[in-house]
Amino acid sequence: MHGETFYPREVQELTLATLAVFAVIAGEYLYPFYTPSFLQLLRLLTLSFVIYVPHELAHKFIAMYFGYPARFSIVWEFFLLTLISAIPVIPIKFIAPGTVYIYTGPFIDKKTDGMISAAGPATNILLGLVGMIAGGTFAKTVMNFSGWIAFFNLLPFGPLDGRKVLAWNAGVWVALMLVSLAMVIL
């Protein structure tokens, strides 16, 4: 990947993952409607793109900034779980069809790992704050969904971003958690 921004098929996988996110959101919002309008579909597709793609690309580009090759890739088991959770009668929604793999070799320091991990939720928070300032129904929806995506990713468990952010800097983790939770509640 010398000098190129994206690996082969990376954009296609990111697009497919975004469509899976769209399926979850559309299944939740369009279920009561039998014939959604084109405008409804376009808004939900835009929402899906705005809350998902910048988050993943933030991880990728911050990793690349630090000199690490990074690639978005679908995680097929999670992609399937995302699609299953798109079924409207399933109450728990899972939106994690893929991840950014960072090729660090045998070692990455806590600070760099934490900063790369914080980049995704911080991007969602920034987008949510822009939505809050912009006002309007769609912008408020962007704020709420961005808050949820940031909050979920900041949970300090397993492979989620929160574990690495907390290991690097508890103050940053608390600040990001509080802002993301406020965006969800507002």
Side-chain angles (χ1 to χ4, degrees):
M1 189 182 101
H2 303 287
E4 296 176 22
T5 303
F6 293 98
Y7 285 86
R9 295 186 312 281
E10 186 175 12
V11 172
Q12 292 90 336
E13 288 190 33
L14 188 56
T15 301
L16 188 58
T18 304
L19 291 174
V21 172
F22 168 72
V24 173
I25 293 172
E28 188 68 18
Y29 278 90
L30 298 179
Y31 177 63
F33 305 108
Y34 294 102
T35 54
S37 71
F38 176 76
L39 187 56
Q40 285 174 311
L41 291 173
L42 186 59
R43 282 185 179 153
L44 294 177
L45 183 59
T46 302
L47 175 65
S48 303
F49 178 88
V50 167
I51 66 168
Y52 187 70
V53 173
H55 175 107
E56 297 300 339
L57 291 181
H59 290 309
K60 175 182 175 69
F61 293 141
I62 295 298
M64 290 170 67
Y65 171 80
F66 284 113
Y68 297 110
R71 180 195 198 288
F72 176 84
S73 185
I74 287 178
V75 177
W76 293 105
E77 299 85 0
F78 291 168
F79 181 81
L80 182 58
L81 283 173
T82 300
L83 288 180
I84 290 170
S85 76
I87 300 169
V89 295
I90 294 180
I92 297 173
K93 301 304 176 189
F94 183 85
I95 299 178
T99 192
V100 172
Y101 290 101
I102 301 161
Y103 305 101
T104 62
F107 179 75
I108 183 171
D109 64 274
K110 280 185 183 181
K111 180 179 180 183
T112 303
D113 199 23
M115 291 173 76
I116 293 168
S117 296
T123 298
N124 283 112
I125 288 169
L126 179 62
L127 289 167
L129 293 175
V130 168
M132 184 174 72
I133 292 166
T137 305
F138 183 75
K140 183 174 177 11
T141 303
V142 168
M143 180 187 71
N144 292 134
F145 271 89
S146 290
W148 273 113
I149 296 289
F151 179 79
F152 174 78
N153 277 276
L154 286 165
L155 294 173
F157 306 113
L160 296 175
D161 300 326
R163 183 181 56 80
K164 295 173 244 175
V165 175
L166 183 58
W168 160 55
N169 189 315
V172 170
W173 179 80
V174 167
L176 292 172
M177 281 296 278
L178 290 175
V179 175
S180 66
L181 190 55
M183 288 170 42
V184 169
I185 294 171
L186 292 176

